[in-house]
Amino acid sequence: FNYSVGGNANVPGLEIYQRQGMLVTYYLRAKVTEDELKVHYIDKNADNYEFYSYTINVAENTLFKANIGLANPWKGNLANGDVENILGKTERVSADLSTMPKIGAQYRYASNYTCVEVVRSVEGKDVYLYYEFVSTVQFVVDFGLPLKIMPENISGQLKTAKLTGVQVEKQSQYATITTDQSDYSITYALKQTIDSKDNFQATYKGEITISSENGQEVQSGEVNYTVTIIPATTVYYEDSFVDFYDAGSSAKKTEFTKTGASDEMGVWYVEGNANTTAEQALSKLGDKAIYGYDEAYKNSTTFSMGSAKKVTVNTNGQYAQAKFTFKGTGFDVISLTNSDSGAITVEVLKDGTTAKTKDGKDAFYLVNNYYGYKYENGQWVVDPTATNTLYQIPVMKVSGLDYGTYTAVITVDYAEFFDKTNDNKYSFWLDAIRIYDPMGVDNETYTKDNEGFPQYIKLHDAVKAGATEANALLFIDGAENATISEYNNFGPNNEVYLANGQAISFKLNIQAGTQIASVQIGAKAPNGNAAKLVVNGGELKEIAAATEMYYEISKDGNGNFTVTNTGTGILSLTNLKVTYSAKEGSVSLAPMSPEEQTSAVMMVRAMFAPPAPTVFEPETFTVSLKNYKDVYVREYIKVTVTTSDDVKYITVGDKKISSYDDERVWGGFRKGFVKTGKRVWSYYVSFDTAGQQVISVVAYDADGLASEAVENTVNVKPRSAWRGKTSEWHI
C-alpha cells in the first residue's frame, strides 16, 4: 500500500470491491510552534543596568534548565546552560563577554570584571547574568555642570604617554559623552538628572607604558579604562534640567527669548546671560571633597550661572507650569524673591497621582515668594515700595518622601490675595533645583568621602522652635541682646538671615554609638554683598556667592557652635548637614545651659568690641628738663614729668619711677591748695660720656600699656671743659 506523511489530512481516492472494505488510519502529531528564551546581561555597578540581551528561538515549551548557573571557572559557558534551538542546534549561554561581538566594546574588551551571579526566572524563559565591573576611577558629581576628564585624571600612566586618540563608545542614558582629540579629554555633560552609577569604557591609543601584574613595564598601542560617574548625596541642577510650559500649551518649550517690557502674560522668558562654559570641579571618590561646594559658583552673586527662567501672570486666568522628574527623597526649588514676586503651587506626583510623604500627608504645597518689608513699631510689615532682591533662595523645600521616582509640577497662577503691590500681576523666576538622595538614603558608597548617610537640620525651623522650646537654639544680636524672641525672620521661610554682628549658637545631642564624619553648614550671600562666616570666633570664610554651598565646621560634632556674620552683606544659613561613618545613630539640637548661652553671647560681643589700644595716650603727658643746655659729664639734669592721674608709672631711660607728688595750685576764692588731678614726677640724670645723648620718657597705664616715648637730646660736654660753674649735685 502506498502511504504519505505530511500534507493535508485527506484521501485522494479509494478502490473498494464487492464484499471488501478498507481501513484508513490517521496518525496525528502536534504542530511545531515557535517560542523564545531571553538572556540578560546586567551591570550591578550601574544600578542593575542591562547593557546587553539576546533571544534564542526555541520550540514551544522549551525552558532553561532549572540548575543553570556559573561553571568553575566562571569565565566561559554556563553550567547546564545548553539549549536546543528551533533548528535543532545546541546553543550555550556564556559568561565570557569577549565571545559576543554584539556587546559594546567597553564591555567586550574589559578585563576587570566578574560574573558574580546567574538567576533563572520563575517561568524559566529568562536568565540573568550579573556582573561587577571594577572601575579604574570613580568621579562624583554634585552639580549639573559638565565634567572634563583629562587623561592624567584617569591614570598616571597616561600623563607621559604619547597618545594618538581617545574613544568612548557608550551612549549614556544620563549624559552626552564627547571626546576632544586635541588634548584627549573626555567631557561628561549631564542631559537629565542622574540617579545611579554610570559606567563607560575609555579607550586610549598611542605609545602607552603599562605596569603589568608582575611589575614589568610593557608597551601597548591601546588600553582600556572603566570610568564610573556617581551622583553625590545631593545634586544641584540649573534651570536647563526643567521642562517649561507656556499658559494654554501642553508642548514643552524649547526656545526662549529675552525678557523685556513687552513680555506676554503666562509665557516663559530667560533673564540674564547664561554661563555656558563653566565646568564643575573634578572630584574622585575618596578625595573627601565636600559635597555641595564648587569653585565654579563662588562668584555667582545673582542668578545661578548667570540666568533664570521668568514668567509673569495676571488677572486673565491663565497659568504657566514647569516640571521635572527625579529619583530621590526630596528637592529644593531655587528662585529669587522681591516685591514683584508672587505665589506658586508645587505638586509632587508618583504614578500620575499626588504623592504622599512619610507622615501620610499629600505632597502639595503653596508658597508666597514676596519679599519687601520694613520694620515699624516692633514688627515687619509689607513695604509696597521695596526694591530689595534676594537671589537663589530655596523658596520651596520638599522632604520626607520615600525613595522613588517622582515628577514635580510647579504652577504659577495669579491670585489677588498674593498681589502685595496691587498692580494685578506678579512674577516667578525658576533658577535651579537641588535633588536629595538620588541613589537612596542607605548608600554606603559615600562613606569614602566622609559624606555617608547625611542628616539635614533646617536651621530656620530650629530658630523658630527656639522661641518656644527652651534654649533649642540661640539667636544672638551682637549689638544689643541675646534672646531668641528678638529675632524676626524678614525673608522667605526656608533660611536664617544674619546681618552684621548677628549670630546663632547651638550644640548637638549625639546618640551613643554615633560615628560622626563631618558637620557642615549651608551658607550663602543672597543680596550680592559679601558676608563673612565665622565659627566659634575662629577662621573667617568670606562668602560672596548667592549659591547655597556647604562649609565644614566640625569633624566630630562635639562642643558648642556659634556662627557669626562679620561681613557687610546678609549671611543666609540653610541647613545643618551631619554625615556619618556608619548608618547607626543620629543627632538633634540639644538645650543650652544658661552658662553656655552667656559664653556664646560674650564671644560674639567680644568679636565686635572696639579693638584694644596698642598705645597708651595719657590725658596729660609733658616733660621738661632743667640745666641741660650747658651740661658736662657726670653733671645732673633734672627731669620733671607732669601727667594726668591715668598714668600709673613712668620710665626715664631704663629706670622705672612709681612715686609722684600731687600738683596743687592756689585757690582763687578760698584759702589753701586745690588738687588738680595732675601728677608730678621728678628724676635726676647724668651721663658718663660726652656727646649727644637722648633722655627718653615713657608713661604707662594700670594695665602696663606704654605711651609713645617723649625724647629730648642733650649735648654733653667733656669734663675737661668744666670751669667750676655752680651746679646741682644732689638727687
Side-chain angles (χ1 to χ4, degrees):
F1 299 96
N2 295 325
Y3 67 94
S4 63
V5 177
N8 294 321
N10 57 30
V11 178
L14 292 173
E15 292 182 359
I16 301 176
Y17 297 91
Q18 188 177 5
R19 292 186 294 275
Q20 290 183 349
M22 181 171 288
L23 175 64
V24 178
T25 303
Y26 292 89
Y27 294 91
L28 305 178
R29 65 182 181 186
K31 181 180 179 180
V32 177
T33 59
E34 191 171 305
D35 206 341
E36 66 178 29
L37 305 180
K38 195 166 186 178
V39 184
H40 307 262
Y41 292 85
I42 308 298
D43 184 352
K44 290 189 70 172
N45 301 94
D47 198 22
N48 293 330
Y49 169 65
E50 184 175 303
F51 60 88
Y52 180 64
S53 66
Y54 70 92
T55 59
I56 304 174
N57 293 322
V58 294
E60 191 175 24
N61 296 324
T62 301
L63 304 175
F64 285 115
K65 294 178 180 178
N67 57 350
I68 188 173
L70 290 172
N72 187 15
W74 67 265
K75 198 169 188 179
N77 294 330
L78 297 184
N80 304 305
D82 53 305
V83 176
E84 184 176 314
N85 65 21
I86 192 67
L87 301 177
K89 303 293 184 180
T90 299
E91 291 194 33
R92 292 179 172 83
V93 180
S94 175
D96 186 354
L97 301 181
S98 65
T99 63
M100 288 166 277
K102 289 187 178 181
I103 289 184
Q106 67 272 24
Y107 292 102
R108 188 167 74 253
Y109 297 129
S111 59
N112 48 357
Y113 70 91
T114 305
C115 184
V116 295
E117 185 180 16
V118 174
V119 177
R120 177 182 180 267
S121 66
V122 175
E123 297 81 7
K125 289 190 174 185
D126 294 87
V127 66
Y128 299 85
L129 287 77
Y130 289 89
Y131 289 81
E132 288 185 351
F133 291 85
V134 180
S135 299
T136 302
V137 63
Q138 301 180 76
F139 297 106
V140 180
V141 293
D142 49 0
F143 290 85
L145 299 179
L147 199 67
K148 187 173 183 179
I149 306 170
M150 300 300 294
E152 58 266 29
N153 302 137
I154 301 289
S155 172
Q157 295 174 337
L158 298 176
K159 188 172 184 179
T160 57
K162 296 179 180 179
L163 299 178
T164 59
V166 60
Q167 183 178 357
V168 175
E169 293 188 1
K170 178 181 178 181
Q171 294 302 309
S172 167
Q173 61 175 320
Y174 299 112
T176 300
I177 306 175
T178 58
T179 60
D180 187 336
Q181 302 303 319
S182 64
D183 60 2
Y184 311 110
S185 63
I186 299 171
T187 298
Y188 182 91
L190 285 169
K191 58 185 178 182
Q192 68 177 63
T193 58
I194 181 172
D195 50 51
S196 68
K197 295 179 180 179
D198 193 15
N199 292 338
F200 63 87
Q201 200 80 12
T203 301
Y204 292 90
K205 298 180 180 181
E207 297 180 15
I208 306 167
T209 301
I210 303 173
S211 297
S212 61
E213 293 181 359
N214 58 14
Q216 295 179 345
E217 292 187 348
V218 297
Q219 293 293 320
S220 175
E222 183 177 298
V223 63
N224 300 307
Y225 296 94
T226 301
V227 181
T228 301
I229 306 298
I230 304 174
T233 53
T234 65
V235 184
Y236 180 97
Y237 298 95
E238 295 300 322
D239 53 71
S240 58
F241 288 81
V242 179
D243 297 332
F244 296 89
Y245 300 84
D246 290 339
S249 174
S250 60
K252 182 176 71 173
K253 195 177 182 73
T254 57
E255 295 184 1
F256 299 85
T257 57
K258 282 269 196 175
T259 186
S262 59
D263 288 356
E264 295 182 51
M265 296 295 103
V267 176
W268 290 97
Y269 294 88
V270 62
E271 183 167 337
N273 298 303
N275 182 349
T276 59
T277 61
E279 299 169 347
Q280 67 177 298
L282 200 65
S283 175
K284 291 182 181 179
L285 183 66
D287 282 351
K288 294 182 172 49
I290 293 177
Y291 293 176
Y293 179 86
D294 199 293
E295 290 286 307
Y297 284 90
K298 70 177 183 179
N299 295 319
S300 182
T301 58
T302 55
F303 289 121
S304 179
M305 279 296 127
S307 69
K309 300 297 191 306
K310 175 188 177 183
V311 67
T312 303
V313 294
N314 64 0
T315 57
N316 65 11
Q318 292 187 320
Y319 61 88
Q321 289 187 324
K323 303 177 183 179
F324 60 92
T325 298
F326 70 97
K327 194 171 185 179
T329 62
F331 61 90
D332 294 339
V333 176
I334 312 298
S335 179
L336 71 74
T337 68
N338 59 16
S339 59
D340 292 328
S341 298
I344 61 170
T345 60
V346 179
E347 184 178 18
V348 184
L349 303 177
K350 186 174 180 61
D351 300 326
T353 60
T354 304
K356 299 281 187 181
T357 58
K358 290 181 179 179
D359 56 8
K361 296 180 180 179
D362 286 341
F364 188 92
Y365 311 91
L366 172 81
V367 61
N368 182 19
N369 298 320
Y370 176 82
Y371 172 66
Y373 299 90
K374 58 184 177 181
Y375 197 65
E376 288 184 349
N377 301 321
Q379 60 182 346
W380 293 96
V381 297
V382 171
D383 180 9
T385 63
T387 59
N388 294 334
T389 298
L390 298 180
Y391 289 91
Q392 300 187 47
I393 304 301
V395 297
M396 174 54 61
K397 178 179 287 294
V398 176
S399 59
L401 301 173
D402 287 323
Y403 178 67
T405 301
Y406 301 90
T407 297
V409 180
I410 303 168
T411 302
V412 188
D413 195 6
Y414 179 84
E416 183 179 357
F417 178 80
F418 300 109
D419 184 2
K420 300 300 183 181
T421 54
N422 299 317
D423 56 358
N424 299 320
K425 65 179 181 179
Y426 50 66
S427 301
F428 173 70
W429 290 258
L430 205 163
D431 200 357
I433 58 174
R434 187 190 295 272
I435 307 300
Y436 290 84
D437 304 312
M439 288 210 307
V441 294
D442 296 332
N443 200 303
E444 294 187 2
T445 302
Y446 307 114
T447 58
K448 296 177 181 178
D449 277 333
N450 291 335
E451 290 280 351
F453 315 104
Q455 176 187 354
Y456 298 91
I457 298 174
K458 190 175 173 182
L459 289 172
H460 171 269
D461 290 351
V463 169
K464 293 188 70 174
T468 55
E469 299 176 10
N471 308 327
L473 188 146
L474 183 68
F475 173 80
I476 302 172
D477 188 334
E480 297 178 3
N481 54 56
T483 59
I484 189 69
S485 60
E486 296 298 319
Y487 179 73
N488 288 279
N489 184 4
F490 52 90
N493 61 357
N494 288 302
E495 299 182 301
V496 172
Y497 298 100
L498 300 180
N500 175 268
Q502 293 179 331
I504 59 170
S505 188
F506 58 90
K507 72 175 181 178
L508 299 179
N509 177 32
I510 305 173
Q511 291 182 356
T514 299
Q515 300 178 44
I516 292 178
S518 178
V519 180
Q520 303 165 24
I521 196 163
K524 59 196 186 72
N527 67 347
N529 296 323
K532 294 180 180 179
L533 182 150
V534 178
V535 180
N536 290 350
E539 182 180 354
L540 179 147
K541 295 181 177 66
E542 183 162 309
I543 298 175
T547 307
E548 177 199 16
M549 292 196 284
Y550 283 87
Y551 304 84
E552 187 175 65
I553 61 175
S554 173
K555 292 187 181 300
D556 57 17
N558 292 314
N560 294 355
F561 300 93
T562 299
V563 181
T564 310
N565 179 19
T566 63
T568 57
I570 293 174
L571 177 64
S572 167
L573 303 178
T574 53
N575 296 316
L576 189 67
K577 181 173 78 170
V578 184
T579 64
Y580 303 91
S581 302
K583 181 181 177 182
E584 294 74 19
S586 65
V587 304
S588 58
L589 293 180
M592 297 177 65
S593 68
E595 293 77 14
E596 290 171 329
Q597 293 184 57
T598 300
S599 176
V601 172
M602 297 307 294
M603 178 191 300
V604 175
R605 291 185 178 172
M607 292 171 63
F608 295 92
T614 57
V615 177
F616 174 40
E617 296 181 359
E619 183 179 344
T620 301
F621 182 34
T622 61
V623 178
S624 63
L625 303 182
K626 182 180 180 182
N627 190 27
Y628 74 95
K629 290 184 179 180
D630 192 19
V631 66
Y632 295 85
V633 171
R634 296 192 300 276
E635 185 176 19
Y636 286 92
I637 304 169
K638 183 178 183 181
V639 180
T640 302
V641 182
T642 303
T643 72
S644 47
D645 57 9
D646 54 354
V647 175
K648 183 67 174 178
Y649 64 91
I650 67 171
T651 58
V652 180
D654 57 359
K655 178 68 174 179
K656 179 180 178 180
I657 303 170
S658 56
S659 61
Y660 60 88
D661 292 325
D662 287 336
E663 183 178 275
R664 298 173 182 271
V665 298
W666 184 260
F669 298 97
R670 53 181 291 186
K671 292 182 179 180
F673 291 96
V674 178
K675 192 173 182 179
T676 65
K678 293 182 180 179
R679 297 171 175 177
V680 180
W681 317 71
S682 298
Y683 187 66
Y684 290 85
V685 178
S686 66
F687 297 96
D688 293 331
T689 58
Q692 288 191 337
Q693 307 289 344
V694 175
I695 298 176
S696 178
V697 181
V698 178
Y700 294 83
D701 66 6
D703 296 323
L705 188 64
S707 71
E708 291 184 352
V710 176
E711 296 181 340
N712 287 276
T713 301
V714 178
N715 186 23
V716 179
K717 297 179 180 180
R719 186 71 177 170
S720 59
W722 183 62
R723 295 291 184 267
K725 67 181 286 294
T726 303
S727 180
E728 298 183 40
W729 286 87
H730 63 277
I731 297 178

